[in-house]
Amino acid sequence: QMQLVEFGGGLVQAGGSLRLSCAASGRTPSNFAIGWFRQAPGLQREFVAAISRTGGLTYYADAVKGRFTISRDNAKNMVYLQMNSLNPEDTAVYYCAATFSGGSNWYRIRTYEYDYWGQGTQVTVSS
């Protein structure tokens, strides 16, 4: 079993920045690729970004590419999502998730491809 806990969400004005954190514990977190997803009320959960087991590779959804940066510190079992130039369309509950994947095409963008999920943290961007 693996546990994931997100924190760092809150209220921010359009154009502002937030950094989300995901603390991992339980099964060896460095054996898992980590993804960030988000979900607004009435909408499906959508992929945001992913990072490989070692942290050497990243992958982003087009909607956030150039604005968000995913990173990880395996020594601390932490994953981060730096969000810049936020707009109201970024308002959602953000989740981190873990999947055991690697090699070529290591990244996963579908919710069912992930094995463990955090509880989510609310991000609200005001206009």
Side-chain angles (χ1 to χ4, degrees):
Q1 189 175 3
M2 186 175 181
Q3 294 79 45
L4 301 169
V5 179
E6 307 95 334
F7 53 94
L11 176 65
V12 64
Q13 292 185 333
S17 299
L18 282 174
R19 189 180 77 159
L20 304 183
S21 300
C22 176
S25 62
R27 297 180 67 181
T28 307
S30 60
N31 287 341
F32 293 82
I34 303 295
W36 283 97
F37 290 77
R38 65 187 184 184
Q39 186 171 24
L43 301 179
Q44 293 193 110
R45 194 166 299 184
E46 66 175 352
F47 172 78
V48 175
I51 189 165
S52 63
R53 291 186 294 231
T54 64
L57 299 171
T58 58
Y59 184 79
Y60 298 92
D62 288 343
V64 306
K65 195 170 186 178
R67 299 189 298 122
F68 291 9
T69 302
I70 188 171
S71 62
R72 72 189 297 169
D73 185 344
N74 284 343
K76 298 180 179 179
N77 292 329
M78 295 289 292
V79 182
Y80 307 99
L81 184 68
Q82 178 67 46
M83 305 184 294
N84 299 325
S85 301
L86 287 163
N87 58 64
E89 288 69 41
D90 296 315
T91 295
V93 176
Y94 283 71
Y95 301 86
C96 64
T99 179
F100 192 82
S101 64
S104 299
N105 302 313
W106 60 271
Y107 54 89
R108 301 290 182 267
I109 65 172
R110 304 294 181 88
T111 59
Y112 58 78
E113 295 176 307
Y114 284 78
D115 303 300
Y116 303 99
W117 293 84
Q119 84 291 341
T121 185
Q122 176 71 48
V123 173
T124 302
V125 184
S126 62
S127 60

